[in-house]
Amino acid sequence: MSDAIALLWLPFCISVALVGIHTALGLHVLRRNIIFVDLALAQIAALGATVAFMLGHAVNSSGSYAYSLLFTLITAMVLASTRAWSGRISQEALIGVIYVVAAAAAFLLVEKAPQGTEHIKQVLTGNILTAGLDELMVVAPVYAVIGAALWFARARLAHQASGVAGWWWDFFFYACFGVVVTSSVALAGVLLVFVFLIVPAAIGLLYADGARSLVIGWAVGVVASVAGLALSYAWDLPTGSTMVCVFGAVLAVAGALRPLLRGRQALARSVTVLRVVITGVLVLSGIWLCALPRADQPLLDVVERVVPEARTLYLTAQERTIHDEAEAYAERYRRQAEQLNAREAASRWQGAALDDNEVRRISSFLKSYNEMRKGEEFVQREVRSRARTRNRWVLGLALVLCGALIVPWPWWRLRGRQHTGDGQERGRTAGLG
Amino acid sequence: MGAALRFLAVLAVALWTAGAAGQQPLRVVATTTDLKSLMEAVGGNRVQVVSLVPPQLDAEDYQPKPQDVARLRDAALLLRVGADYDLWADKLVRQSGRRELARGGERYVDCSFSIALLDVRGTEVGASGGHAHGNGNPHYWLDPANAEIITGTMLEALARVDAPNAKFYEAGRTQFLQRLRDKMRAWDQAVAPAQGKPMIAYHNTWAYFARRFRLNFAATIEPRPGVPPTPSHLAGLKNIIKKQNVMAIVRQPNEPLKHVQFLAGKSGAKVLVLAASVGAVPEAGDYLSLFDYNIGVLAQAFK
């Protein structure tokens, strides 16, 4: 536990700083409907850093930062000038093109450089786990200043005036954005910065307006960051990607919970949708099982993975014994192979050295163990497939029946009721008016 | 003794060269610079070798270029590392349309032939997580003793496609192996202070190198090849560093600096840059100087 805290407190502080500034920016981004602008600016910043790198500036030096900033500010000007660039196509199209062209150009540039592909991977997934205190000390004051500027200019930015003044405010916004993104992408990577920007702000706007949405976004962002970091530690997963997925899940939950707060009708409607979806999954799984019982059965596989006891439903006692034994043997072979590997690895530097023939013998043992393990896994699969084939009509029918029980039945009446319900509602409001 | 031998060898090579003057050199394509260097050692000026992967890039993630197909067009031999290291070569050969360069073809040379592979985990390509390493650890050229087997495979292939010059190639290989053996004695002495001292590497590159020189790579920063470290893995590494008193963290020039610096900063361990391929650092110009450089770095760090 103390290990985890020692390792994760700094990434947590950085996440808080990033959530703080990005939620504020995200609210503007969502209002302006320029969702992918941060990807574009981040990629442009990365392109600037790459150009600096090719010109001989060290990674993370002030020279590389200056190039990033220069590229970003030029792009900010372009974006400010093209708010209504054609009147026919949304600015999002241009933003998308900037993103992919910058990404491809960076690829072309680093082609010949050492660390090239690594550099690009870093830009994408970042390194929030190993970011240092010194980096936080640099970005925190910058974020504070920009955050304050955004707060005082919020009315202007929301208004989106036209003409020269409007251009300056747009430029101001994109420049702030660029400065933030240049540093945050270096810390956390494009993917994580994108969810920091969009998810908390989106949840804030789902549930409230104005300053309250900002506060909700901050709270949600901090909670999701803690959850992501904790999960990444507990389940031994790469941190950045785990956090991105947790933020996605949090958005899904927030979206699903929203009807609860919006009255009975909205709730009933979403329950209906949910029931239809569940019915669909059950019925399709049932049909799929009847049609091709030996193919992958995602629903059954998931259920059996979560609750292995569910197998007793369709395996005979004998099949269960075979299945469990095969499982135990597979695990035993895996362990034995690992032990052999560990012994060989230890012999590289301590004890008597193994000669090539001994190493070859170990390798062939390892291969046999792995083959045997595969054999046992095949047995497990085969036992399940046969039992499924035998029971397919019963199981399939049961699934379809479950679906039928859950389906909002009957359809036409429900639809009719919903119509009249809406009508009544409208009538009532009209009467009130 | 060594000088006299070398003189004789140079003389022999010069005589052979004079005899074969005017012959077109054999065009050989190797996937990596290491194979290129070994092939040049065997083939001398009778071969003209190009390598496909630039030395600083990761050969396991290489994306072939259109030019690479053109390079295969008139290749007399294709040398590859095998052991799932350069899987992209199969696709490239298919694109070139030359059957004899594909697996099993007469101009196809899998240099992992007859090597005793380490870290065998699976039997097929694409084991769980990260890029393969399923068929065994592919970094086998980092054991200089394996060069004897690799050059043997190369010699056999050269004799197959260019039988009249087989004697020349054999002389080239013998001369190279003689130099290699002299060098290995020197390396064994120089590396002694580093033997058994715990180190940590970024990627699981050094299995063969460690086995030959009795080095102790206690852990890798990547939990599985190609997968970035997770928080609990990093915590485990910190413990290993503390418990075993790890003094050095090894990285290749093309590996990310961030995690290495993070661990070094927390523990005070030294960061050593070792080259896993010829040309990865300027000092490692050919196969022998690759080990000169690596052993030199280790000897310096642990003296």
Side-chain angles (χ1 to χ4, degrees), chain B residues 4-16:
Chain B
L5 257 176
R6 201 166 305 161
F7 173 76
L8 276 178
V10 169
L11 194 68
V13 169
L15 283 174
W16 273 108

Side-chain angles (χ1 to χ4, degrees), chain B residues 43-83:
Chain B
N45 55 4
R46 295 278 170 84
V47 295
Q48 189 189 10
V49 195
V50 287
S51 59
L52 299 181
V53 187
Q56 306 93 341
L57 294 189
D58 183 357
E60 286 170 284
D61 286 336
Y62 180 65
Q63 297 182 350
K65 315 273 172 304
Q67 290 280 320
D68 293 341
V69 182
R71 290 192 183 106
L72 284 185
R73 206 151 283 153
D74 57 349
L77 287 174
L78 170 66
L79 311 175
R80 72 181 300 180
V81 175

Side-chain angles (χ1 to χ4, degrees), chain A residues 80-146:
Chain A
S81 315
T82 53
R83 191 206 295 164
W85 64 309
S86 74
R88 293 163 70 97
I89 307 163
S90 103
Q91 197 184 7
E92 194 80 344
L94 183 68
I95 290 171
V97 170
I98 290 177
Y99 167 70
V100 289
V101 170
F107 259 115
L108 289 181
L109 274 177
V110 299
E111 238 287 307
K112 295 279 184 288
Q115 281 183 319
T117 43
E118 222 24 88
H119 177 77
I120 284 181
K121 224 199 270 178
Q122 295 289 305
V123 168
L124 211 57
T125 55
N127 250 326
I128 196 164
L129 184 55
T130 47
L133 188 59
D134 45 336
E135 288 164 289
L136 181 62
M137 289 320 213
V138 173
V139 295
V142 175
Y143 290 177
V145 169
I146 289 180

Side-chain angles (χ1 to χ4, degrees), chain A residues 7 111 115 118 127 232 236-237 239 338 341 344 347-349 351 353-354 356 360 363 366 370-371 374, chain B residues 56 65 114 117-121 123 207 211 214-216 230-232 234 239 251 253 256 258-259 262:
Chain A
L7 207 66
E111 238 287 307
Q115 281 183 319
E118 222 24 88
N127 250 326
S232 140
D236 200 15
L237 298 168
T239 308
E338 283 309 310
N341 252 326
E344 185 276 319
S347 80
R348 285 172 203 163
W349 63 280
L354 302 175
D356 276 10
R360 281 199 192 95
S363 295
L366 288 173
N370 286 324
E371 276 304 321
K374 288 229 178 66
Chain B
Q56 306 93 341
K65 315 273 172 304
S114 172
L117 289 173
L118 301 175
D119 295 340
V120 175
R121 300 213 185 270
T123 47
R211 176 166 172 250
R214 313 285 292 159
L215 301 172
N216 176 9
T230 62
S232 48
L234 272 188
N239 277 339
R251 75 176 262 269
K258 214 59 188 281
H259 297 118
F262 175 79

Side-chain angles (χ1 to χ4, degrees), chain A residues 199-242:
Chain A
V199 171
I203 294 175
L205 285 179
L206 272 181
Y207 286 99
D209 291 312
R212 279 177 58 204
S213 58
L214 185 62
V215 174
I216 292 177
W218 279 341
V220 168
V222 170
V223 170
S225 301
V226 171
L229 288 167
L231 268 188
S232 140
Y233 191 87
W235 290 354
D236 200 15
L237 298 168
T239 308
S241 316
T242 312

Side-chain angles (χ1 to χ4, degrees), chain A residues 169-245:
Chain A
W169 283 114
D170 271 4
F171 175 70
F172 166 74
F173 172 71
Y174 286 118
C176 287
F177 206 130
V179 171
V180 169
V181 159
T182 306
S183 53
S184 62
V185 164
L187 274 174
V190 169
L191 300 182
L192 194 52
V193 165
F194 184 75
V195 294
F196 278 150
L197 182 74
I198 301 298
V199 171
I203 294 175
L205 285 179
L206 272 181
Y207 286 99
D209 291 312
R212 279 177 58 204
S213 58
L214 185 62
V215 174
I216 292 177
W218 279 341
V220 168
V222 170
V223 170
S225 301
V226 171
L229 288 167
L231 268 188
S232 140
Y233 191 87
W235 290 354
D236 200 15
L237 298 168
T239 308
S241 316
T242 312
M243 289 180 77
V244 171
C245 291

Side-chain angles (χ1 to χ4, degrees), chain B residues 246-267:
Chain B
V246 172
M247 279 148 61
I249 302 176
V250 170
R251 75 176 262 269
Q252 298 167 48
N254 65 357
E255 285 172 348
L257 196 56
K258 214 59 188 281
H259 297 118
V260 175
Q261 274 179 339
F262 175 79
L263 281 174
K266 294 254 164 188
S267 64

